[in-house]
Amino acid sequence: MEHFTIATVAEQSPDFRQVLWTGEHTQLVIMTIPKGGEIGEEVHEDTDQILTFVSGTGEARVAGRTRKVAQGDLVVVPAGTKHNFVNTGPNPLVLYTVYGPPEHADKAVHRTKKEADAAEEAGKDEPPTS
């Protein structure tokens, strides 16, 4: 059994992205988007994503629509949907997300978005294969 006090774990992470747990069908990831930062517009063709916001304020830009997000909000991004999440507040935008199936390399830690993008481009952030 894995157990996380997820809001506390997410709040304590200074990293842009950290994979906490990877299973056969889903993956748990925490993210900290710095002031003025964003995840970056993307589409996961075969992966659903559920994001829950722990602290900070931002915008969810999903399928051409924009909504404000803050602590306690949850956003669902179905597979194949263009999306981006932007920090619009003065503090980090902290969240945890569940991907199904996994989207990132098991136990991956990316300190910055630049580091995360470089790992993806180099093929070093691929999810495990069954």
Side-chain angles (χ1 to χ4, degrees):
M1 172 174 61
E2 295 287 335
H3 176 270
F4 302 98
T5 305
I6 194 66
T8 302
V9 172
E11 281 282 347
Q12 293 174 346
S13 175
D15 299 314
F16 175 72
R17 180 168 54 222
Q18 179 182 353
V19 176
L20 290 182
W21 180 83
T22 301
E24 184 177 345
H25 303 288
T26 58
Q27 184 173 62
L28 176 62
V29 176
I30 55 176
M31 297 187 74
T32 300
I33 304 168
K35 177 182 175 182
E38 63 182 86
I39 289 176
E41 190 172 82
E42 59 187 1
V43 175
H44 306 298
E45 291 298 337
D46 300 314
T47 302
D48 293 324
Q49 187 174 7
I50 300 169
L51 303 95
T52 303
F53 296 86
V54 174
S55 64
T57 56
E59 288 183 350
R61 300 175 183 171
V62 180
R65 298 179 59 204
T66 300
R67 297 225 24 199
K68 292 183 180 184
V69 292
Q71 179 181 1
D73 288 343
L74 182 145
V75 176
V76 175
V77 181
T81 305
K82 187 183 295 186
H83 61 280
N84 191 8
F85 295 88
V86 179
N87 183 343
T88 60
N91 299 310
L93 180 60
V94 179
L95 63 100
Y96 62 93
T97 183
V98 176
Y99 294 97
E103 179 69 17
H104 299 286
D106 189 29
K107 300 188 182 356
V109 176
H110 302 119
R111 288 173 179 69
T112 64
K113 178 172 177 13
K114 183 178 179 179
E115 186 178 300
D117 290 345
E120 287 178 20
E121 288 173 20
K124 295 181 179 178
D125 189 34
E126 297 298 318
T129 56
S130 300

